[in-house]
PDB file of all heavy atoms in Angstrom:
ATOM      1  N   VAL Q  32     -17.486 -54.115 180.882  1.00  0.00           N
ATOM      2  CA  VAL Q  32     -18.382 -52.977 180.979  1.00  0.00           C
ATOM      3  C   VAL Q  32     -18.282 -52.100 179.730  1.00  0.00           C
ATOM      4  O   VAL Q  32     -17.257 -51.488 179.375  1.00  0.00           O
ATOM      5  CB  VAL Q  32     -18.006 -52.104 182.229  1.00  0.00           C
ATOM      6  CG1 VAL Q  32     -18.934 -50.909 182.254  1.00  0.00           C
ATOM      7  CG2 VAL Q  32     -18.097 -52.947 183.516  1.00  0.00           C
ATOM      8  N   LYS Q  34     -20.467 -49.724 178.555  1.00  0.00           N
ATOM      9  CA  LYS Q  34     -21.209 -48.363 178.471  1.00  0.00           C
ATOM     10  C   LYS Q  34     -20.265 -47.399 177.744  1.00  0.00           C
ATOM     11  O   LYS Q  34     -19.004 -47.461 177.934  1.00  0.00           O
ATOM     12  CB  LYS Q  34     -21.560 -47.827 179.896  1.00  0.00           C
ATOM     13  CG  LYS Q  34     -20.292 -47.495 180.735  1.00  0.00           C
ATOM     14  CD  LYS Q  34     -20.597 -46.740 181.907  1.00  0.00           C
ATOM     15  CE  LYS Q  34     -19.368 -46.485 182.730  1.00  0.00           C
ATOM     16  NZ  LYS Q  34     -19.387 -47.093 184.072  1.00  0.00           N
ATOM     17  N   ASN Q  55     -24.911 -49.506 181.804  1.00  0.00           N
ATOM     18  CA  ASN Q  55     -25.423 -48.632 182.744  1.00  0.00           C
ATOM     19  C   ASN Q  55     -26.712 -47.860 182.432  1.00  0.00           C
ATOM     20  O   ASN Q  55     -27.331 -47.353 183.323  1.00  0.00           O
ATOM     21  CB  ASN Q  55     -24.410 -47.536 183.220  1.00  0.00           C
ATOM     22  CG  ASN Q  55     -23.202 -48.131 183.808  1.00  0.00           C
ATOM     23  OD1 ASN Q  55     -22.530 -49.019 183.210  1.00  0.00           O
ATOM     24  ND2 ASN Q  55     -22.890 -47.663 185.000  1.00  0.00           N
ATOM     25  N   TYR Q  56     -27.037 -47.728 181.126  1.00  0.00           N
ATOM     26  CA  TYR Q  56     -28.107 -46.899 180.728  1.00  0.00           C
ATOM     27  C   TYR Q  56     -29.008 -47.618 179.920  1.00  0.00           C
ATOM     28  O   TYR Q  56     -28.602 -48.286 178.873  1.00  0.00           O
ATOM     29  CB  TYR Q  56     -27.621 -45.628 180.009  1.00  0.00           C
ATOM     30  CG  TYR Q  56     -26.468 -44.851 180.623  1.00  0.00           C
ATOM     31  CD1 TYR Q  56     -25.178 -45.044 180.280  1.00  0.00           C
ATOM     32  CD2 TYR Q  56     -26.709 -43.983 181.806  1.00  0.00           C
ATOM     33  CE1 TYR Q  56     -24.182 -44.289 180.873  1.00  0.00           C
ATOM     34  CE2 TYR Q  56     -25.729 -43.441 182.469  1.00  0.00           C
ATOM     35  CZ  TYR Q  56     -24.446 -43.584 182.005  1.00  0.00           C
ATOM     36  OH  TYR Q  56     -23.402 -42.980 182.677  1.00  0.00           O
ATOM     37  N   ILE Q  77     -25.821 -52.540 185.403  1.00  0.00           N
ATOM     38  CA  ILE Q  77     -25.012 -52.067 186.640  1.00  0.00           C
ATOM     39  C   ILE Q  77     -25.245 -50.720 186.933  1.00  0.00           C
ATOM     40  O   ILE Q  77     -24.519 -50.156 187.806  1.00  0.00           O
ATOM     41  CB  ILE Q  77     -23.511 -52.395 186.404  1.00  0.00           C
ATOM     42  CG1 ILE Q  77     -23.045 -51.650 185.171  1.00  0.00           C
ATOM     43  CG2 ILE Q  77     -23.274 -53.975 186.257  1.00  0.00           C
ATOM     44  CD1 ILE Q  77     -21.527 -51.750 184.989  1.00  0.00           C
ATOM     45  N   GLY Q  78     -26.153 -50.007 186.258  1.00  0.00           N
ATOM     46  CA  GLY Q  78     -26.431 -48.550 186.520  1.00  0.00           C
ATOM     47  C   GLY Q  78     -27.602 -48.302 187.553  1.00  0.00           C
ATOM     48  O   GLY Q  78     -28.302 -49.179 187.932  1.00  0.00           O
ATOM     49  N   GLN Q 123     -26.456 -53.335 195.774  1.00  0.00           N
ATOM     50  CA  GLN Q 123     -25.385 -52.356 195.765  1.00  0.00           C
ATOM     51  C   GLN Q 123     -25.136 -51.703 197.147  1.00  0.00           C
ATOM     52  O   GLN Q 123     -26.102 -51.193 197.715  1.00  0.00           O
ATOM     53  CB  GLN Q 123     -25.669 -51.241 194.679  1.00  0.00           C
ATOM     54  CG  GLN Q 123     -24.476 -50.271 194.562  1.00  0.00           C
ATOM     55  CD  GLN Q 123     -24.574 -49.353 193.455  1.00  0.00           C
ATOM     56  OE1 GLN Q 123     -25.384 -49.570 192.475  1.00  0.00           O
ATOM     57  NE2 GLN Q 123     -23.728 -48.391 193.359  1.00  0.00           N
ATOM     58  N   MET Q 159     -22.704 -55.903 195.615  1.00  0.00           N
ATOM     59  CA  MET Q 159     -21.903 -55.154 194.698  1.00  0.00           C
ATOM     60  C   MET Q 159     -21.465 -53.825 195.327  1.00  0.00           C
ATOM     61  O   MET Q 159     -22.215 -53.282 196.191  1.00  0.00           O
ATOM     62  CB  MET Q 159     -22.695 -54.913 193.435  1.00  0.00           C
ATOM     63  CG  MET Q 159     -22.100 -54.131 192.327  1.00  0.00           C
ATOM     64  SD  MET Q 159     -22.139 -52.326 192.459  1.00  0.00           S
ATOM     65  CE  MET Q 159     -22.803 -51.960 190.950  1.00  0.00           C
ATOM     66  N   THR Q 160     -20.308 -53.370 195.009  1.00  0.00           N
ATOM     67  CA  THR Q 160     -19.941 -52.009 195.535  1.00  0.00           C
ATOM     68  C   THR Q 160     -19.022 -51.262 194.581  1.00  0.00           C
ATOM     69  O   THR Q 160     -18.361 -51.911 193.684  1.00  0.00           O
ATOM     70  CB  THR Q 160     -19.240 -52.062 196.875  1.00  0.00           C
ATOM     71  OG1 THR Q 160     -19.299 -50.818 197.545  1.00  0.00           O
ATOM     72  CG2 THR Q 160     -17.837 -52.483 196.855  1.00  0.00           C
ATOM     73  N   ILE Q 161     -19.146 -50.013 194.615  1.00  0.00           N
ATOM     74  CA  ILE Q 161     -18.159 -49.040 193.969  1.00  0.00           C
ATOM     75  C   ILE Q 161     -17.462 -48.233 195.001  1.00  0.00           C
ATOM     76  O   ILE Q 161     -18.097 -47.245 195.457  1.00  0.00           O
ATOM     77  CB  ILE Q 161     -18.896 -48.142 193.001  1.00  0.00           C
ATOM     78  CG1 ILE Q 161     -19.827 -48.904 192.012  1.00  0.00           C
ATOM     79  CG2 ILE Q 161     -17.870 -47.318 192.138  1.00  0.00           C
ATOM     80  CD1 ILE Q 161     -20.688 -47.953 191.108  1.00  0.00           C
ATOM     81  N   GLY Q 198     -14.520 -54.489 192.069  1.00  0.00           N
ATOM     82  CA  GLY Q 198     -13.235 -54.411 191.331  1.00  0.00           C
ATOM     83  C   GLY Q 198     -13.533 -53.951 189.922  1.00  0.00           C
ATOM     84  O   GLY Q 198     -14.375 -54.379 189.219  1.00  0.00           O
ATOM     85  N   MET Q 199     -12.833 -52.761 189.511  1.00  0.00           N
ATOM     86  CA  MET Q 199     -12.977 -52.222 188.207  1.00  0.00           C
ATOM     87  C   MET Q 199     -11.514 -52.067 187.664  1.00  0.00           C
ATOM     88  O   MET Q 199     -10.686 -52.680 188.140  1.00  0.00           O
ATOM     89  CB  MET Q 199     -13.649 -50.850 188.301  1.00  0.00           C
ATOM     90  CG  MET Q 199     -14.791 -50.813 189.331  1.00  0.00           C
ATOM     91  SD  MET Q 199     -16.065 -49.623 189.103  1.00  0.00           S
ATOM     92  CE  MET Q 199     -15.193 -48.035 189.013  1.00  0.00           C
ATOM     93  N   SER Q 200     -11.406 -51.289 186.522  1.00  0.00           N
ATOM     94  CA  SER Q 200     -10.115 -51.277 185.801  1.00  0.00           C
ATOM     95  C   SER Q 200      -8.949 -51.012 186.746  1.00  0.00           C
ATOM     96  O   SER Q 200      -7.906 -51.613 186.612  1.00  0.00           O
ATOM     97  CB  SER Q 200     -10.143 -50.225 184.701  1.00  0.00           C
ATOM     98  OG  SER Q 200     -10.933 -50.698 183.714  1.00  0.00           O
ATOM     99  N   ASP Q 201      -9.075 -50.062 187.648  1.00  0.00           N
ATOM    100  CA  ASP Q 201      -7.925 -49.636 188.416  1.00  0.00           C
ATOM    101  C   ASP Q 201      -7.755 -50.499 189.762  1.00  0.00           C
ATOM    102  O   ASP Q 201      -6.749 -50.266 190.437  1.00  0.00           O
ATOM    103  CB  ASP Q 201      -8.071 -48.130 188.819  1.00  0.00           C
ATOM    104  CG  ASP Q 201      -7.916 -47.312 187.616  1.00  0.00           C
ATOM    105  OD1 ASP Q 201      -7.244 -47.686 186.715  1.00  0.00           O
ATOM    106  OD2 ASP Q 201      -8.573 -46.162 187.601  1.00  0.00           O
ATOM    107  N   ARG Q 215     -15.867 -55.991 187.324  1.00  0.00           N
ATOM    108  CA  ARG Q 215     -16.475 -55.259 186.253  1.00  0.00           C
ATOM    109  C   ARG Q 215     -15.449 -54.310 185.592  1.00  0.00           C
ATOM    110  O   ARG Q 215     -15.157 -53.317 186.203  1.00  0.00           O
ATOM    111  CB  ARG Q 215     -17.688 -54.531 186.855  1.00  0.00           C
ATOM    112  CG  ARG Q 215     -18.635 -55.236 187.660  1.00  0.00           C
ATOM    113  CD  ARG Q 215     -19.753 -54.405 188.313  1.00  0.00           C
ATOM    114  NE  ARG Q 215     -19.180 -53.244 188.953  1.00  0.00           N
ATOM    115  CZ  ARG Q 215     -18.850 -53.189 190.242  1.00  0.00           C
ATOM    116  NH1 ARG Q 215     -18.957 -54.205 191.049  1.00  0.00           N
ATOM    117  NH2 ARG Q 215     -18.324 -52.083 190.667  1.00  0.00           N
ATOM    118  N   VAL Q 216     -14.992 -54.642 184.461  1.00  0.00           N
ATOM    119  CA  VAL Q 216     -13.881 -53.906 183.800  1.00  0.00           C
ATOM    120  C   VAL Q 216     -14.333 -53.346 182.509  1.00  0.00           C
ATOM    121  O   VAL Q 216     -14.710 -54.006 181.570  1.00  0.00           O
ATOM    122  CB  VAL Q 216     -12.671 -54.869 183.655  1.00  0.00           C
ATOM    123  CG1 VAL Q 216     -11.533 -54.039 183.028  1.00  0.00           C
ATOM    124  CG2 VAL Q 216     -12.244 -55.489 184.965  1.00  0.00           C
ATOM    125  N   GLY Q 217     -14.182 -51.974 182.406  1.00  0.00           N
ATOM    126  CA  GLY Q 217     -14.470 -51.241 181.175  1.00  0.00           C
ATOM    127  C   GLY Q 217     -13.235 -50.731 180.485  1.00  0.00           C
ATOM    128  O   GLY Q 217     -12.773 -51.328 179.473  1.00  0.00           O
ATOM    129  N   THR Q 218     -12.708 -49.602 180.963  1.00  0.00           N
ATOM    130  CA  THR Q 218     -11.586 -48.928 180.312  1.00  0.00           C
ATOM    131  C   THR Q 218     -10.360 -49.842 179.950  1.00  0.00           C
ATOM    132  O   THR Q 218      -9.773 -49.684 178.882  1.00  0.00           O
ATOM    133  CB  THR Q 218     -11.090 -47.783 181.170  1.00  0.00           C
ATOM    134  OG1 THR Q 218     -12.228 -47.290 181.931  1.00  0.00           O
ATOM    135  CG2 THR Q 218     -10.622 -46.590 180.319  1.00  0.00           C
ATOM    136  N   ALA Q 219     -10.023 -50.713 180.758  1.00  0.00           N
ATOM    137  CA  ALA Q 219      -8.840 -51.557 180.630  1.00  0.00           C
ATOM    138  C   ALA Q 219      -9.066 -52.463 179.359  1.00  0.00           C
ATOM    139  O   ALA Q 219      -8.046 -52.952 178.853  1.00  0.00           O
ATOM    140  CB  ALA Q 219      -8.509 -52.341 181.811  1.00  0.00           C
ATOM    141  N   ILE Q 220     -10.307 -52.752 178.992  1.00  0.00           N
ATOM    142  CA  ILE Q 220     -10.530 -53.555 177.844  1.00  0.00           C
ATOM    143  C   ILE Q 220     -10.876 -52.725 176.611  1.00  0.00           C
ATOM    144  O   ILE Q 220     -10.227 -52.968 175.522  1.00  0.00           O
ATOM    145  CB  ILE Q 220     -11.833 -54.474 178.113  1.00  0.00           C
ATOM    146  CG1 ILE Q 220     -11.587 -55.422 179.251  1.00  0.00           C
ATOM    147  CG2 ILE Q 220     -12.126 -55.282 176.819  1.00  0.00           C
ATOM    148  CD1 ILE Q 220     -12.770 -56.174 179.670  1.00  0.00           C
ATOM    149  N   GLY Q 222     -10.591 -49.198 176.350  1.00  0.00           N
ATOM    150  CA  GLY Q 222     -10.091 -47.892 176.169  1.00  0.00           C
ATOM    151  C   GLY Q 222     -11.103 -46.867 176.669  1.00  0.00           C
ATOM    152  O   GLY Q 222     -12.136 -47.167 177.263  1.00  0.00           O
ATOM    153  N   ARG Q 224     -14.096 -44.092 176.979  1.00  0.00           N
ATOM    154  CA  ARG Q 224     -15.413 -44.237 176.508  1.00  0.00           C
ATOM    155  C   ARG Q 224     -15.993 -42.873 176.310  1.00  0.00           C
ATOM    156  O   ARG Q 224     -15.590 -41.816 176.825  1.00  0.00           O
ATOM    157  CB  ARG Q 224     -16.392 -45.019 177.513  1.00  0.00           C
ATOM    158  CG  ARG Q 224     -16.414 -44.455 178.792  1.00  0.00           C
ATOM    159  CD  ARG Q 224     -17.148 -45.349 179.866  1.00  0.00           C
ATOM    160  NE  ARG Q 224     -16.746 -45.118 181.132  1.00  0.00           N
ATOM    161  CZ  ARG Q 224     -16.055 -45.941 181.929  1.00  0.00           C
ATOM    162  NH1 ARG Q 224     -15.733 -47.140 181.364  1.00  0.00           N
ATOM    163  NH2 ARG Q 224     -15.675 -45.594 183.195  1.00  0.00           N
TER     164      ARG Q 224
HETATM  165  C1  PLP R   1     -18.198 -47.866 184.416  1.00  0.00           C
HETATM  166  C2  PLP R   1     -18.353 -48.873 185.513  1.00  0.00           C
HETATM  167  C3  PLP R   1     -17.416 -49.863 185.675  1.00  0.00           C
HETATM  168  C4  PLP R   1     -16.135 -49.969 184.888  1.00  0.00           C
HETATM  169  O1  PLP R   1     -15.322 -48.885 185.229  1.00  0.00           O
HETATM  170  P1  PLP R   1     -13.800 -48.943 184.447  1.00  0.00           P
HETATM  171  O2  PLP R   1     -13.054 -47.999 185.400  1.00  0.00           O
HETATM  172  O3  PLP R   1     -13.959 -48.369 183.092  1.00  0.00           O
HETATM  173  O4  PLP R   1     -13.263 -50.252 184.527  1.00  0.00           O
HETATM  174  C5  PLP R   1     -17.605 -50.820 186.657  1.00  0.00           C
HETATM  175  N1  PLP R   1     -18.756 -50.840 187.392  1.00  0.00           N
HETATM  176  C6  PLP R   1     -19.679 -49.837 187.401  1.00  0.00           C
HETATM  177  C7  PLP R   1     -20.899 -49.953 188.211  1.00  0.00           C
HETATM  178  C8  PLP R   1     -19.563 -48.819 186.398  1.00  0.00           C
HETATM  179  O5  PLP R   1     -20.511 -47.850 186.322  1.00  0.00           O
END
Side-chain angles (χ1 to χ4, degrees):
V32 178
K34 65 166 178 244
N55 292 58
Y56 310 104
I77 60 172
Q123 182 169 350
M159 180 274 233
T160 200
I161 312 172
M199 322 204 304
S200 290
D201 291 332
R215 309 176 310 269
V216 179
T218 329
I220 298 170
R224 60 187 155 248

